[in-house]
PDB file of all heavy atoms in Angstrom:
ATOM      1  N   ARG A1357      -8.866 -11.713  30.267  1.00 97.00           N
ATOM      2  CA  ARG A1357      -8.731 -10.259  30.321  1.00 97.00           C
ATOM      3  C   ARG A1357      -8.828  -9.748  31.752  1.00 97.00           C
ATOM      4  O   ARG A1357      -9.633 -10.241  32.541  1.00 97.00           O
ATOM      5  CB  ARG A1357      -9.798  -9.606  29.455  1.00 97.00           C
ATOM      6  CG  ARG A1357      -9.618  -9.978  27.978  1.00 97.00           C
ATOM      7  CD  ARG A1357     -10.714  -9.447  27.127  1.00 97.00           C
ATOM      8  NE  ARG A1357     -11.953 -10.157  27.444  1.00 97.00           N
ATOM      9  CZ  ARG A1357     -13.127  -9.842  26.936  1.00 97.00           C
ATOM     10  NH1 ARG A1357     -13.241  -8.842  26.115  1.00 97.00           N
ATOM     11  NH2 ARG A1357     -14.189 -10.544  27.251  1.00 97.00           N
ATOM     12  N   ALA A1358      -8.011  -8.743  32.055  1.00 98.00           N
ATOM     13  CA  ALA A1358      -7.993  -8.157  33.391  1.00 98.00           C
ATOM     14  C   ALA A1358      -8.899  -6.942  33.467  1.00 98.00           C
ATOM     15  O   ALA A1358      -9.007  -6.167  32.518  1.00 98.00           O
ATOM     16  CB  ALA A1358      -6.567  -7.770  33.771  1.00 98.00           C
ATOM     17  N   VAL A1359      -9.533  -6.789  34.633  1.00 98.00           N
ATOM     18  CA  VAL A1359     -10.359  -5.629  34.944  1.00 98.00           C
ATOM     19  C   VAL A1359      -9.719  -4.948  36.136  1.00 98.00           C
ATOM     20  O   VAL A1359      -9.532  -5.561  37.195  1.00 98.00           O
ATOM     21  CB  VAL A1359     -11.802  -6.045  35.284  1.00 98.00           C
ATOM     22  CG1 VAL A1359     -12.628  -4.830  35.697  1.00 98.00           C
ATOM     23  CG2 VAL A1359     -12.438  -6.772  34.112  1.00 98.00           C
ATOM     24  N   LEU A1360      -9.371  -3.674  35.970  1.00 98.00           N
ATOM     25  CA  LEU A1360      -8.737  -2.882  37.011  1.00 98.00           C
ATOM     26  C   LEU A1360      -9.826  -2.111  37.747  1.00 98.00           C
ATOM     27  O   LEU A1360     -10.593  -1.357  37.123  1.00 98.00           O
ATOM     28  CB  LEU A1360      -7.745  -1.925  36.356  1.00 98.00           C
ATOM     29  CG  LEU A1360      -6.614  -1.375  37.170  1.00 98.00           C
ATOM     30  CD1 LEU A1360      -5.715  -2.493  37.677  1.00 98.00           C
ATOM     31  CD2 LEU A1360      -5.810  -0.399  36.324  1.00 98.00           C
ATOM     32  N   LEU A1361      -9.932  -2.303  39.069  1.00 98.00           N
ATOM     33  CA  LEU A1361     -10.928  -1.631  39.900  1.00 98.00           C
ATOM     34  C   LEU A1361     -10.224  -0.524  40.666  1.00 98.00           C
ATOM     35  O   LEU A1361      -9.375  -0.806  41.521  1.00 98.00           O
ATOM     36  CB  LEU A1361     -11.572  -2.630  40.858  1.00 98.00           C
ATOM     37  CG  LEU A1361     -12.138  -3.904  40.221  1.00 98.00           C
ATOM     38  CD1 LEU A1361     -12.570  -4.890  41.289  1.00 98.00           C
ATOM     39  CD2 LEU A1361     -13.283  -3.570  39.272  1.00 98.00           C
ATOM     40  N   GLU A1362     -10.572   0.731  40.376  1.00 97.00           N
ATOM     41  CA  GLU A1362      -9.889   1.873  40.983  1.00 97.00           C
ATOM     42  C   GLU A1362     -10.841   2.708  41.829  1.00 97.00           C
ATOM     43  O   GLU A1362     -11.979   2.943  41.434  1.00 97.00           O
ATOM     44  CB  GLU A1362      -9.280   2.774  39.913  1.00 97.00           C
ATOM     45  CG  GLU A1362      -8.108   2.184  39.220  1.00 97.00           C
ATOM     46  CD  GLU A1362      -7.383   3.193  38.353  1.00 97.00           C
ATOM     47  OE1 GLU A1362      -8.003   4.180  37.912  1.00 97.00           O
ATOM     48  OE2 GLU A1362      -6.186   2.984  38.121  1.00 97.00           O
ATOM     49  N   GLY A1363     -10.338   3.178  42.961  1.00 95.00           N
ATOM     50  CA  GLY A1363     -11.097   4.053  43.835  1.00 95.00           C
ATOM     51  C   GLY A1363     -10.338   4.246  45.123  1.00 95.00           C
ATOM     52  O   GLY A1363      -9.384   3.529  45.415  1.00 95.00           O
ATOM     53  N   PRO A1364     -10.760   5.224  45.925  1.00 93.00           N
ATOM     54  CA  PRO A1364     -10.082   5.490  47.190  1.00 93.00           C
ATOM     55  C   PRO A1364     -10.334   4.374  48.204  1.00 93.00           C
ATOM     56  O   PRO A1364     -11.217   3.528  47.990  1.00 93.00           O
ATOM     57  CB  PRO A1364     -10.700   6.810  47.649  1.00 93.00           C
ATOM     58  CG  PRO A1364     -12.056   6.822  47.027  1.00 93.00           C
ATOM     59  CD  PRO A1364     -11.898   6.126  45.701  1.00 93.00           C
ATOM     60  N   PRO A1365      -9.589   4.351  49.307  1.00 91.00           N
ATOM     61  CA  PRO A1365      -9.849   3.356  50.351  1.00 91.00           C
ATOM     62  C   PRO A1365     -11.323   3.404  50.773  1.00 91.00           C
ATOM     63  O   PRO A1365     -11.901   4.480  50.933  1.00 91.00           O
ATOM     64  CB  PRO A1365      -8.933   3.786  51.497  1.00 91.00           C
ATOM     65  CG  PRO A1365      -7.816   4.517  50.805  1.00 91.00           C
ATOM     66  CD  PRO A1365      -8.462   5.224  49.649  1.00 91.00           C
ATOM     67  N   GLY A1366     -11.929   2.239  50.912  1.00 89.00           N
ATOM     68  CA  GLY A1366     -13.326   2.158  51.315  1.00 89.00           C
ATOM     69  C   GLY A1366     -14.316   2.264  50.171  1.00 89.00           C
ATOM     70  O   GLY A1366     -15.527   2.190  50.385  1.00 89.00           O
ATOM     71  N   ALA A1367     -13.831   2.422  48.934  1.00 93.00           N
ATOM     72  CA  ALA A1367     -14.725   2.569  47.783  1.00 93.00           C
ATOM     73  C   ALA A1367     -15.370   1.252  47.371  1.00 93.00           C
ATOM     74  O   ALA A1367     -16.321   1.248  46.596  1.00 93.00           O
ATOM     75  CB  ALA A1367     -13.968   3.161  46.593  1.00 93.00           C
ATOM     76  N   GLY A1368     -14.842   0.127  47.853  1.00 95.00           N
ATOM     77  CA  GLY A1368     -15.440  -1.166  47.546  1.00 95.00           C
ATOM     78  C   GLY A1368     -14.666  -2.007  46.548  1.00 95.00           C
ATOM     79  O   GLY A1368     -15.210  -2.956  45.980  1.00 95.00           O
ATOM     80  N   LYS A1369     -13.386  -1.692  46.346  1.00 96.00           N
ATOM     81  CA  LYS A1369     -12.574  -2.447  45.371  1.00 96.00           C
ATOM     82  C   LYS A1369     -12.517  -3.925  45.723  1.00 96.00           C
ATOM     83  O   LYS A1369     -12.815  -4.781  44.879  1.00 96.00           O
ATOM     84  CB  LYS A1369     -11.151  -1.866  45.300  1.00 96.00           C
ATOM     85  CG  LYS A1369     -11.084  -0.437  44.807  1.00 96.00           C
ATOM     86  CD  LYS A1369      -9.668   0.086  44.752  1.00 96.00           C
ATOM     87  CE  LYS A1369      -8.961   0.173  46.082  1.00 96.00           C
ATOM     88  NZ  LYS A1369      -9.515   1.160  47.012  1.00 96.00           N
ATOM     89  N   SER A1370     -12.127  -4.237  46.935  1.00 95.00           N
ATOM     90  CA  SER A1370     -11.987  -5.645  47.341  1.00 95.00           C
ATOM     91  C   SER A1370     -13.336  -6.338  47.429  1.00 95.00           C
ATOM     92  O   SER A1370     -13.468  -7.506  47.056  1.00 95.00           O
ATOM     93  CB  SER A1370     -11.257  -5.743  48.685  1.00 95.00           C
ATOM     94  OG  SER A1370      -9.965  -5.199  48.583  1.00 95.00           O
ATOM     95  N   ASP A1371     -14.346  -5.633  47.906  1.00 96.00           N
ATOM     96  CA  ASP A1371     -15.692  -6.194  47.990  1.00 96.00           C
ATOM     97  C   ASP A1371     -16.193  -6.587  46.605  1.00 96.00           C
ATOM     98  O   ASP A1371     -16.702  -7.692  46.396  1.00 96.00           O
ATOM     99  CB  ASP A1371     -16.629  -5.171  48.636  1.00 96.00           C
ATOM    100  CG  ASP A1371     -18.022  -5.707  48.817  1.00 96.00           C
ATOM    101  OD1 ASP A1371     -18.831  -5.632  47.866  1.00 96.00           O
ATOM    102  OD2 ASP A1371     -18.321  -6.213  49.923  1.00 96.00           O
ATOM    103  N   LEU A1372     -16.033  -5.675  45.640  1.00 97.00           N
ATOM    104  CA  LEU A1372     -16.452  -5.963  44.272  1.00 97.00           C
ATOM    105  C   LEU A1372     -15.627  -7.106  43.684  1.00 97.00           C
ATOM    106  O   LEU A1372     -16.165  -7.991  43.013  1.00 97.00           O
ATOM    107  CB  LEU A1372     -16.337  -4.704  43.413  1.00 97.00           C
ATOM    108  CG  LEU A1372     -16.703  -4.833  41.938  1.00 97.00           C
ATOM    109  CD1 LEU A1372     -18.091  -5.422  41.741  1.00 97.00           C
ATOM    110  CD2 LEU A1372     -16.575  -3.469  41.267  1.00 97.00           C
ATOM    111  N   ALA A1373     -14.335  -7.112  43.956  1.00 98.00           N
ATOM    112  CA  ALA A1373     -13.480  -8.204  43.470  1.00 98.00           C
ATOM    113  C   ALA A1373     -13.971  -9.546  44.000  1.00 98.00           C
ATOM    114  O   ALA A1373     -14.045 -10.529  43.250  1.00 98.00           O
ATOM    115  CB  ALA A1373     -12.028  -7.961  43.864  1.00 98.00           C
ATOM    116  N   LEU A1374     -14.338  -9.609  45.276  1.00 97.00           N
ATOM    117  CA  LEU A1374     -14.846 -10.862  45.857  1.00 97.00           C
ATOM    118  C   LEU A1374     -16.115 -11.325  45.156  1.00 97.00           C
ATOM    119  O   LEU A1374     -16.288 -12.523  44.894  1.00 97.00           O
ATOM    120  CB  LEU A1374     -15.120 -10.686  47.350  1.00 97.00           C
ATOM    121  CG  LEU A1374     -13.915 -10.729  48.254  1.00 97.00           C
ATOM    122  CD1 LEU A1374     -14.315 -10.370  49.682  1.00 97.00           C
ATOM    123  CD2 LEU A1374     -13.252 -12.097  48.222  1.00 97.00           C
ATOM    124  N   ARG A1375     -17.001 -10.385  44.844  1.00 97.00           N
ATOM    125  CA  ARG A1375     -18.237 -10.768  44.153  1.00 97.00           C
ATOM    126  C   ARG A1375     -17.950 -11.255  42.737  1.00 97.00           C
ATOM    127  O   ARG A1375     -18.581 -12.200  42.263  1.00 97.00           O
ATOM    128  CB  ARG A1375     -19.239  -9.622  44.179  1.00 97.00           C
ATOM    129  CG  ARG A1375     -19.810  -9.472  45.606  1.00 97.00           C
ATOM    130  CD  ARG A1375     -20.889  -8.434  45.715  1.00 97.00           C
ATOM    131  NE  ARG A1375     -20.268  -7.121  45.661  1.00 97.00           N
ATOM    132  CZ  ARG A1375     -20.705  -6.106  44.931  1.00 97.00           C
ATOM    133  NH1 ARG A1375     -21.786  -6.238  44.193  1.00 97.00           N
ATOM    134  NH2 ARG A1375     -20.079  -4.950  44.958  1.00 97.00           N
ATOM    135  N   LEU A1376     -16.973 -10.634  42.069  1.00 98.00           N
ATOM    136  CA  LEU A1376     -16.583 -11.110  40.734  1.00 98.00           C
ATOM    137  C   LEU A1376     -15.923 -12.485  40.819  1.00 98.00           C
ATOM    138  O   LEU A1376     -16.184 -13.365  39.995  1.00 98.00           O
ATOM    139  CB  LEU A1376     -15.652 -10.096  40.065  1.00 98.00           C
ATOM    140  CG  LEU A1376     -16.340  -8.811  39.591  1.00 98.00           C
ATOM    141  CD1 LEU A1376     -15.315  -7.726  39.337  1.00 98.00           C
ATOM    142  CD2 LEU A1376     -17.174  -9.086  38.350  1.00 98.00           C
ATOM    143  N   ILE A1377     -15.080 -12.694  41.831  1.00 98.00           N
ATOM    144  CA  ILE A1377     -14.432 -13.995  42.038  1.00 98.00           C
ATOM    145  C   ILE A1377     -15.487 -15.063  42.305  1.00 98.00           C
ATOM    146  O   ILE A1377     -15.399 -16.181  41.789  1.00 98.00           O
ATOM    147  CB  ILE A1377     -13.381 -13.899  43.165  1.00 98.00           C
ATOM    148  CG1 ILE A1377     -12.195 -13.043  42.686  1.00 98.00           C
ATOM    149  CG2 ILE A1377     -12.936 -15.278  43.630  1.00 98.00           C
ATOM    150  CD1 ILE A1377     -11.281 -12.555  43.792  1.00 98.00           C
ATOM    151  N   ASP A1378     -16.515 -14.716  43.067  1.00 96.00           N
ATOM    152  CA  ASP A1378     -17.602 -15.655  43.338  1.00 96.00           C
ATOM    153  C   ASP A1378     -18.317 -16.058  42.049  1.00 96.00           C
ATOM    154  O   ASP A1378     -18.885 -17.139  41.961  1.00 96.00           O
ATOM    155  CB  ASP A1378     -18.594 -15.032  44.329  1.00 96.00           C
ATOM    156  CG  ASP A1378     -19.606 -16.031  44.843  1.00 96.00           C
ATOM    157  OD1 ASP A1378     -19.198 -17.118  45.312  1.00 96.00           O
ATOM    158  OD2 ASP A1378     -20.818 -15.742  44.758  1.00 96.00           O
ATOM    159  N   ARG A1379     -18.258 -15.199  41.032  1.00 97.00           N
ATOM    160  CA  ARG A1379     -18.883 -15.467  39.736  1.00 97.00           C
ATOM    161  C   ARG A1379     -17.918 -16.122  38.756  1.00 97.00           C
ATOM    162  O   ARG A1379     -18.239 -16.300  37.593  1.00 97.00           O
ATOM    163  CB  ARG A1379     -19.432 -14.171  39.138  1.00 97.00           C
ATOM    164  CG  ARG A1379     -20.590 -13.580  39.931  1.00 97.00           C
ATOM    165  CD  ARG A1379     -21.125 -12.324  39.285  1.00 97.00           C
ATOM    166  NE  ARG A1379     -21.512 -12.532  37.910  1.00 97.00           N
ATOM    167  CZ  ARG A1379     -22.647 -13.110  37.494  1.00 97.00           C
ATOM    168  NH1 ARG A1379     -23.521 -13.535  38.385  1.00 97.00           N
ATOM    169  NH2 ARG A1379     -22.904 -13.259  36.202  1.00 97.00           N
ATOM    170  N   GLY A1380     -16.683 -16.430  39.190  1.00 97.00           N
ATOM    171  CA  GLY A1380     -15.756 -17.145  38.321  1.00 97.00           C
ATOM    172  C   GLY A1380     -14.494 -16.397  37.939  1.00 97.00           C
ATOM    173  O   GLY A1380     -13.623 -16.955  37.272  1.00 97.00           O
ATOM    174  N   ALA A1381     -14.376 -15.131  38.331  1.00 98.00           N
ATOM    175  CA  ALA A1381     -13.144 -14.380  38.064  1.00 98.00           C
ATOM    176  C   ALA A1381     -12.020 -14.927  38.940  1.00 98.00           C
ATOM    177  O   ALA A1381     -12.259 -15.689  39.885  1.00 98.00           O
ATOM    178  CB  ALA A1381     -13.352 -12.894  38.340  1.00 98.00           C
ATOM    179  N   THR A1382     -10.792 -14.536  38.634  1.00 98.00           N
ATOM    180  CA  THR A1382      -9.619 -14.934  39.412  1.00 98.00           C
ATOM    181  C   THR A1382      -8.899 -13.679  39.881  1.00 98.00           C
ATOM    182  O   THR A1382      -8.739 -12.727  39.115  1.00 98.00           O
ATOM    183  CB  THR A1382      -8.656 -15.779  38.548  1.00 98.00           C
ATOM    184  OG1 THR A1382      -9.372 -16.894  38.020  1.00 98.00           O
ATOM    185  CG2 THR A1382      -7.473 -16.293  39.367  1.00 98.00           C
ATOM    186  N   LEU A1383      -8.446 -13.686  41.116  1.00 98.00           N
ATOM    187  CA  LEU A1383      -7.691 -12.557  41.653  1.00 98.00           C
ATOM    188  C   LEU A1383      -6.387 -12.376  40.886  1.00 98.00           C
ATOM    189  O   LEU A1383      -5.686 -13.339  40.585  1.00 98.00           O
ATOM    190  CB  LEU A1383      -7.367 -12.801  43.135  1.00 98.00           C
ATOM    191  CG  LEU A1383      -6.519 -11.728  43.828  1.00 98.00           C
ATOM    192  CD1 LEU A1383      -7.289 -10.421  43.965  1.00 98.00           C
ATOM    193  CD2 LEU A1383      -6.073 -12.229  45.200  1.00 98.00           C
ATOM    194  N   VAL A1384      -6.083 -11.130  40.551  1.00 98.00           N
ATOM    195  CA  VAL A1384      -4.763 -10.778  40.045  1.00 98.00           C
ATOM    196  C   VAL A1384      -4.015 -10.082  41.171  1.00 98.00           C
ATOM    197  O   VAL A1384      -2.939 -10.508  41.575  1.00 98.00           O
ATOM    198  CB  VAL A1384      -4.841  -9.886  38.781  1.00 98.00           C
ATOM    199  CG1 VAL A1384      -3.440  -9.423  38.360  1.00 98.00           C
ATOM    200  CG2 VAL A1384      -5.527 -10.627  37.648  1.00 98.00           C
TER     201      VAL A1384
END
Side-chain angles (χ1 to χ4, degrees):
R1357 296 175 291 174
V1359 176
L1360 203 61
L1361 308 172
E1362 289 190 335
K1369 297 180 297 293
S1370 299
D1371 183 275
L1372 179 54
L1374 282 173
R1375 287 184 285 135
L1376 287 163
I1377 291 164
D1378 190 51
R1379 294 182 55 78
T1382 304
L1383 177 68
V1384 174

